[in-house]
């Protein structure tokens, strides 16, 4: 239970309503597809469900402005059907939005601001793992034309572009194709995501990329020692590039003792990052619908106001709360996407 004074409650409510809340990762598109890639009973985005973490009614209740929806196909090292499944996810993204006038697709900063001003929720497409690209930059350009604006080269396994965390023997750097893809992403305006990369590849990206990149759903390894989280040096590198870490709500990434994980434990990661590099480099990347369980208090997207309440309780300034809830990601979106 988050206990606040009456004035703190009013402040938290006001800030949550004023914020342009941005979440840079969810796996909801999988939940909207039937098996074998989705669920036994596919959900509909526009209908409130007691399954999963995200649907449109709960996003509206939680005050979300911009939700990034991941195209994810990397369940095993070689995925020949990845391009087809990715296109099915893109089709599902647009068809679900078309059936819900409260929601719009977006591809840039201006459209997100317009969505907020018109009281709509908006969706941005990302790709988690480059399996659907089949090692071809032409496919990168095609998915850009379909609206994809954020990309990570690997999920767990090796792709032609980079090694993921599961490539345990690889102390690799980016292959030439990975460098070429980064250059093409910069030309097109696609945000690069380092979540899931092998540590050695992260450092090569740090050397190769000049502009901002993000870790769309990764926490602090110092607070919770998990390989999917970033070390303090990595966090400093993201900040040096003007990037952002999106806080992952997966309980195992938040705290080792997963039986007692709460929203307060997640904010411990925010506190650490703010102390390390400042409040300009941390945001939200829930990983909703890709995780088994979220911390108590933010059990699904409708409970996001509780995160704002904890930030108020910990005496963050209004300005910093607005940055953490979405302003920092919007800064990167404006610079990279236009």
């Amino acid at each position: 239970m988050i206990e606040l004074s009456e004035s703190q409650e009013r402040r938290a409510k006001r800030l949550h309503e004023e914020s342009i809340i941005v979440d840079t990762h969810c796996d909801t598109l999988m939940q909207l597809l039937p098996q074998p890639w989705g669920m036994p009973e596919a959900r509909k985005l526009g209908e409130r469900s007691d399954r999963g973490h995200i649907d449109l009614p709960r996003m509206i209740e939680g005050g979300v402005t911009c939700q990034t929806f991941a195209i994810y196909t990397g369940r095993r090292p070689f995925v020949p059907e990845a391009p087809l499944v990715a296109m099915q996810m893109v089709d599902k993204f647009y068809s679900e939005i078309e059936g819900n006038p409260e929601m719009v697709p977006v591809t840039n900063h201006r459209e997100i601001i317009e969505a907020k001003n018109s009281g709509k929720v908006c969706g941005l497409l990302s790709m988690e793992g480059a399996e659907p690209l089949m090692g071809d930059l032409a496919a990168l350009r095609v998915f850009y034309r379909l609206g994809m604006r954020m990309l990570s080269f690997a999920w767990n396994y090796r792709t032609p572009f980079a090694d993921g965390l599961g490539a345990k023997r690889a102390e690799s750097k980016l292959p030439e194709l990975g460098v070429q893809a980064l250059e093409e992403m910069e030309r097109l305006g696609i945000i690069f995501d380092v979540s899931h990369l092998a540590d050695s590849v992260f450092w090569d990206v740090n050397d190769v990329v000049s502009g901002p990149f993000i870790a769309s759903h990764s926490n602090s390894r110092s607070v919770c020692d998990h390989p999917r989280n970033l070390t303090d040096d990595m966090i400093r590198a993201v900040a040096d590039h003007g990037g952002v870490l999106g806080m992952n709500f997966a309980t195992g990434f938040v705290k080792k003792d997963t039986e007692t994980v709460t929203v307060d434990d997640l904010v411990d990661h925010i506190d650490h990052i703010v102390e390390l590099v400042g409040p300009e480099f941390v945001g939200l990347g829930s990983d909703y619908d890709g995780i088994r369980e979220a911390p108590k208090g933010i059990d699904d997207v409708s409970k996001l106001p509780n995160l704002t309440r904890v930030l108020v309780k910990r005496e963050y300034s209004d300005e910093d709360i607005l940055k953490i809830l979405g302003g920092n990601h919007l800064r990167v979106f404006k610079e990279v996407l236009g």
Side-chain angles (χ1 to χ4, degrees):
M1 183 66 179
I2 305 161
E3 295 183 0
L4 299 178
S5 69
E6 186 176 340
S7 63
Q8 287 176 320
E9 288 283 7
R10 288 197 301 269
R11 179 170 170 244
K13 184 175 186 295
R14 172 180 60 80
L15 287 169
H16 201 81
E17 291 175 351
E18 288 178 4
S19 296
I20 299 179
I21 297 175
V22 178
D23 179 351
T24 46
H25 191 84
C26 78
D27 284 300
T28 306
L29 292 179
M30 284 195 303
Q31 303 240 348
L32 306 181
L33 290 181
Q35 287 184 327
W37 274 91
M39 305 296 290
E41 295 182 23
R43 297 194 284 121
K44 291 186 178 297
L45 187 61
E47 296 178 1
R48 190 181 188 95
S49 175
D50 57 3
R51 293 184 289 128
H53 300 114
I54 284 181
D55 50 51
L56 183 55
R58 285 184 285 177
M59 281 194 285
I60 293 171
E61 187 176 329
V64 173
T65 298
C66 182
Q67 178 65 57
T68 301
F69 290 85
I71 302 164
Y72 163 71
T73 62
R75 291 183 178 177
R76 54 191 188 278
F78 179 61
V79 193
E81 72 274 28
L84 173 60
V85 175
M87 286 188 288
Q88 290 171 339
M89 288 185 174
V90 172
D91 175 67
K92 182 61 67 173
F93 173 78
Y94 286 111
S95 62
E96 290 285 331
I97 288 177
E98 285 170 2
N100 293 283
E102 306 94 337
M103 190 171 182
V104 293
V106 294
T107 58
N108 59 48
H109 174 269
R110 175 184 55 79
E111 292 171 345
I112 296 170
I113 302 300
E114 289 175 353
K116 175 67 175 179
N117 291 340
S118 61
K120 293 182 182 292
V121 177
C122 60
L124 182 79
L125 274 176
S126 68
M127 184 174 287
E128 182 182 26
E131 285 84 0
L133 305 185
M134 301 295 284
D136 194 327
L137 296 182
L140 172 66
R141 290 186 286 271
V142 168
F143 277 99
Y144 174 83
R145 294 183 180 104
L146 293 175
M148 184 266 290
R149 290 297 185 270
M150 188 182 301
L151 172 66
S152 57
F153 283 167
W155 174 70
N156 194 37
Y157 307 106
R158 172 173 290 173
T159 74
F161 298 91
D163 284 339
L165 280 168
K168 303 244 180 236
R169 295 188 63 190
E171 290 294 331
S172 63
K173 292 189 174 184
L174 288 166
E176 184 61 29
L177 180 63
V179 175
Q180 292 171 359
L182 285 174
E183 293 171 349
E184 187 68 350
M185 289 171 67
E186 182 177 9
R187 185 187 73 83
L188 292 169
I190 300 174
I191 297 166
F192 187 67
D193 178 9
V194 298
S195 287
H196 285 287
L197 288 184
D199 285 3
S200 58
V201 179
F202 172 95
W203 287 113
D204 200 32
V205 169
N206 178 66
D207 292 340
V208 170
V209 173
S210 58
F213 56 85
I214 72 167
S216 69
H217 55 305
S218 297
N219 300 337
S220 163
R221 205 177 293 181
S222 291
V223 177
C224 180
D225 188 11
H226 191 288
R228 273 280 287 102
N229 292 335
L230 271 59
T231 67
D232 285 356
D233 284 343
M234 289 174 169
I235 293 170
R236 291 188 186 99
V238 172
D240 287 344
H241 281 267
V244 182
L245 273 77
M247 296 295 92
N248 192 316
F249 295 3
T251 55
F253 298 176
V254 174
K255 189 177 178 183
K256 282 295 187 181
D257 179 9
T258 58
E259 293 184 4
T260 57
V261 182
T262 69
V263 61
D264 273 290
D265 296 314
L266 180 71
V267 178
D268 288 344
H269 287 262
I270 295 176
D271 286 350
H272 177 76
I273 294 165
V274 169
E275 182 178 354
L276 188 69
V277 295
E280 295 82 13
F281 309 105
V282 60
L284 307 183
S286 68
D287 209 356
Y288 277 144
D289 285 333
I291 59 179
R292 293 182 180 179
E293 186 179 12
K296 290 178 174 58
I298 45 175
D299 310 81
D300 66 23
V301 69
S302 71
K303 306 299 193 302
L304 277 182
N306 284 331
L307 178 59
T308 305
R309 297 174 77 230
V310 175
L311 292 171
V312 166
K313 185 175 183 180
R314 296 199 185 185
E315 299 184 343
Y316 279 84
S317 70
D318 287 14
E319 181 183 6
D320 289 348
I321 290 173
L322 295 174
K323 289 177 182 176
I324 291 166
L325 293 179
N328 290 331
H329 275 128
L330 284 173
R331 168 178 51 79
V332 175
F333 288 4
K334 186 175 184 178
E335 182 170 347
V336 179
L337 306 182

